[in-house]
Structure formats: structure tokens, C-alpha cells
Amino acid sequence: DEAAAALQQSPWWGKAASRHVVLATALEDDSSPLGELGTTAAAAGAVGLCVEKGRCSGFKRTALIPPLPSPLLLAPNTRGHVAHDACVPDGVRRRASVFFRGPHASDSEAQQLRARLWALRAYPGADVKFTVGGGGRLDSDVRSWLGKNGWAKDIRVPLSADAGASGALHADFCVVVKGDHKLQPVQDLTDAVAAGCVPILLGVNPKDLPLPKALDYSTFTLTIDDLEFRRYPLETAKTALEAAAPKLPELRKA
């Protein structure tokens, strides 16, 4: 409110209120970006940068953008490591083969896909863990499948953005899977790319990701058929990963 008042009282505001002011938000509950300041700027013709159109109410003009990566992945030292891995593939630091860390879901289809990621623990070098949070109750068939595949008790790990970013930073392939909220795969994709970890799209349509007309997702992601994955999770993932392994330097650089 104080920032909005200062802006309105500025002599420059009266002279050039139509100048574009760019505001950004990535918070799920932020329907009015920057409060009164956002309202003031929107009325003057500001362009709102939004991760979802509904989060930029009041703005006549908006631009959709992906969320920012996790803070750990924005550190200058981290950016140097990622750039080195992409540009000097022969010198890539040792990484895990495939990484996933995330919660279960309430959506039945998302539950089915996420539960079967548990089977990837058998893949050499995989780092797959479920985190607390997410869906409250698992469907009976999902719980039954997990039980038959060694998930005998609740062994979820704490939810940690830093742990997730660190895991992606030390993996070759990162699973980006359908969830309860349509922004979750976008955030996971953004973190994976920032970490130099090739995204594996599972139950996620590239058309629903940022800038689908400008970005050729096939050049830097893998897509696994979700129906085949539900039937044969380990075998389907293994086939895709082994086919992509020779292309890893090219995918990471892209």
C-alpha cells in the first residue's frame, strides 16, 4: 500500500502513467499481484507476468511465464556447474540415473502414475522417494499395487525444496509427472531444466507447458507413454532411458 501511494504521488507518475510497469508473481494464492501496487500499475497499462491467467486478475494484458526455479538452482556457483555439464559433456560430474521426489495425489489418474514410480527404484542408480503431503487417501487399488511392490508402510520423506533441487542437480533424468495442480509439472520442469536434468514427461502434454509454440520440447525432454507405464512401469522406463542415454549430452545441451 505504501509503495502504491508513493507511486501515485510521484510527479513522474502523472507525466507518464502509461509507461509499462512489469510485475511478476508465482504464488498459487496470489490473485492480485503485489496488492494495491499491482492494482495501481494494472490500471495504468502494466503488463502482468503470470504463471496462470487467473492469477493476474485486473490486468488487461498478460504474458504467461514458467515459475522461477528453486532458489538453490539460481545460485551463481550452481549455474556454473550446470553450464559446464552442458557444454563439456565429457567432464560431467557423476549423476544419478533418474530422479523423482514428490507427493502422492488426490486425482486418481495422477495417483496411478505416481505410485508406479516406486518400481523405478530397481533401475540402476535411481533416486526415487515419495514425500509427505499431497493426496490424503490413496485409492484401494493404488495401495494394493504399492503393497505388492514393497511399499509396506508409510516411509515418505519430508518435503524440502532444497532437497528436490539438489537431487535434480545430481541426476541425468528427472521425472515430471501429472499431479493435482496443473502448475506442479511446470514447476518441476523448470527446476529440472535449471538443474541440467533432462525432463521425462509422464502424463504431461507439452501443449500444456509454457510457450508450446515457441519451444520444441522434443529437443530436450523425453515422453513416456502413460498407459504403457501403468502396465509395465520398470520395463517401459528402462526402454526409454536406455534409448536416450546415447543422446544425453545433446539433450542436456539443448
Side-chain angles (χ1 to χ4, degrees):
D1 289 349
E2 292 176 1
L7 182 63
Q8 293 165 0
Q9 294 168 10
S10 165
W12 300 107
W13 180 254
K15 293 179 180 179
S18 62
R19 290 287 183 91
H20 297 167
V21 180
V22 180
L23 308 175
T25 178
L27 301 178
E28 292 185 7
D29 59 349
D30 201 353
S31 59
S32 179
L34 300 185
E36 182 61 29
L37 177 60
T39 302
T40 297
V47 177
L49 299 185
C50 323
V51 294
E52 190 177 352
K53 285 185 177 179
R55 307 300 179 190
C56 279
S57 61
F59 286 86
K60 294 182 179 180
R61 292 186 296 169
T62 61
L64 294 182
I65 61 171
L68 290 173
S70 297
L72 178 65
L73 298 173
L74 292 174
N77 186 49
T78 300
R79 305 306 319 140
H81 283 308
V82 172
H84 180 269
D85 285 358
C87 298
V88 190
D90 293 338
V92 174
R93 294 163 294 121
R94 186 175 181 179
R95 289 179 175 234
S97 56
V98 58
F99 173 77
F100 171 78
R101 182 166 295 176
H104 290 293
S106 298
D107 178 83
S108 294
E109 182 181 350
Q111 272 195 21
Q112 295 282 353
L113 291 174
R114 286 175 173 252
R116 281 158 176 75
L117 292 171
W118 189 246
L120 299 190
R121 294 180 308 126
Y123 190 79
D127 180 4
V128 176
K129 294 182 177 69
F130 291 130
T131 62
V132 297
R137 295 188 61 181
L138 297 176
D139 293 347
S140 58
D141 58 336
V142 171
R143 186 173 291 278
S144 175
W145 187 92
L146 284 169
K148 292 177 181 177
N149 288 272
W151 202 66
K153 59 181 181 178
D154 191 346
I155 51 176
R156 294 177 293 175
V157 300
L159 180 64
S160 169
D162 282 353
S166 178
L169 189 62
H170 294 88
D172 287 330
F173 296 93
C174 290
V175 178
V176 176
V177 61
K178 176 182 174 66
D180 284 333
H181 196 284
K182 64 181 181 181
L183 286 182
Q184 187 57 56
V186 180
Q187 181 66 67
D188 293 342
L189 172 86
T190 304
D191 283 345
V193 170
C197 185
V198 177
I200 301 175
L201 305 184
L202 183 57
V204 177
N205 190 331
K207 293 182 180 180
D208 296 328
L209 296 173
L211 305 174
K213 295 181 180 180
L215 295 177
D216 183 359
Y217 281 92
S218 66
T219 63
F220 63 94
T221 68
L222 300 182
T223 298
I224 293 182
D225 183 87
D226 49 332
L227 293 179
E228 283 297 303
F229 183 79
R230 284 179 58 171
R231 295 173 61 191
Y232 311 108
L234 180 59
E235 295 81 356
T236 302
K238 181 179 180 181
T239 299
L241 289 169
E242 291 182 351
K247 306 174 185 177
L248 179 58
E250 178 183 347
L251 289 166
R252 179 172 279 133
K253 186 174 182 179

